[in-house]
Amino acid sequence: MSNVGQHLLSGGLSGLASTVLLQPFDLVKTRLQQGDRLSDNVQKPRVASVARDVLKKDGIIGLWRGTVPSLFRNVPGVALYMTSLTHIRAHMSSYTLFVANQPSSSNSGSTLPKLASHGNILAGAVTRVSVGFILNPFSVLKARYESNMFNNKYRSFPSALGSILRSGPSELFKGFVPSAIRDAPYAGIFVATYESIKRRSSKITSSSSAPSFLSSTAIHTFSAASAGAIATVVTHPFDVIKTKVQVRQEDRYHGFLRTIMTIWEQRGARGFFDGVSLRVSRKVFSSAIGWAVYEGMLIFMYDDHGKSVL
């Protein structure tokens, strides 16, 4: 297996694990964000009431509605993102402008390239937006499947995908602008924070007698969860805008700026943080699971000298 193949496999398994385990968080978050006071004529629902409504109508399996498009979006998405990010960082590490000044502790167990914070921010932002552009059609499908506003229109995943494809670029890339504005700073903040926390944590635990694999896994999990929480809160307003653009059909949600004005007029500043607790929870868990699986798989597939064992 090639080096690229190992990274793709690790990233794909990471995306699979986090998607299947955490899909209910995404579904409830989308339904919290999709509301419109003028059309729906209801007050903002709460997390518990949305979850109860799903369980009442569709049973527990209803919480996993949208898993198929989520898998089509997240498995290749996470694989491409993590693989591309690693190789972009490896390329950037050959330039002194982006190289970290201080060496990281070997106790972190990481096989990934080391960059300075500004290098990590740039690498994360460019990679995330590029992969997001390629897979945006699946992001649209994912949001609409999680919403209950397309239940009658999207009877199956193949027919839904065909409907999106026939609609042309305007539907295929709907919501990409707010997604990009959300993802660029999210990825940049996440990667820089993840590497910083991982470096500091590895120094604290450098004298630990715990087995290297267990110690490094704990560091990766804690670092990713912390970085995911920080980056999520900062960028959440753009996630709300993206959801509105992708699932609402009214004219007032056509366009990035028009959607911002609509949310502000209806809900004020609070409207930009609908579902933030769910997204933070989801991102904390997905980051912890995803990066622990990804780096753990790479550590497993490489020997102590950095050579592939597969």
Side-chain angles (χ1 to χ4, degrees), residues 279-300:
R279 185 166 177 256
V280 168
S281 300
R282 202 270 187 208
K283 285 294 186 180
V284 165
F285 288 125
S286 67
S287 298
I289 294 168
W291 282 89
V293 170
Y294 179 66
E295 292 224 50
M297 284 293 296
L298 292 179
I299 293 170
F300 176 76

Side-chain angles (χ1 to χ4, degrees), residues 30-40 42-45 149 243-244 247-248 253 263 266-267 274:
T30 296
R31 297 199 180 181
L32 281 172
Q33 293 177 346
Q34 72 181 16
D36 177 86
R37 286 191 172 182
L38 296 182
S39 296
D40 303 337
V42 294
Q43 296 296 313
K44 174 184 175 291
M149 299 174 65
T243 299
K244 299 280 193 187
V247 305
R248 301 299 311 196
Y253 293 108
I263 295 171
Q266 291 191 5
R267 298 260 299 121
D274 286 346

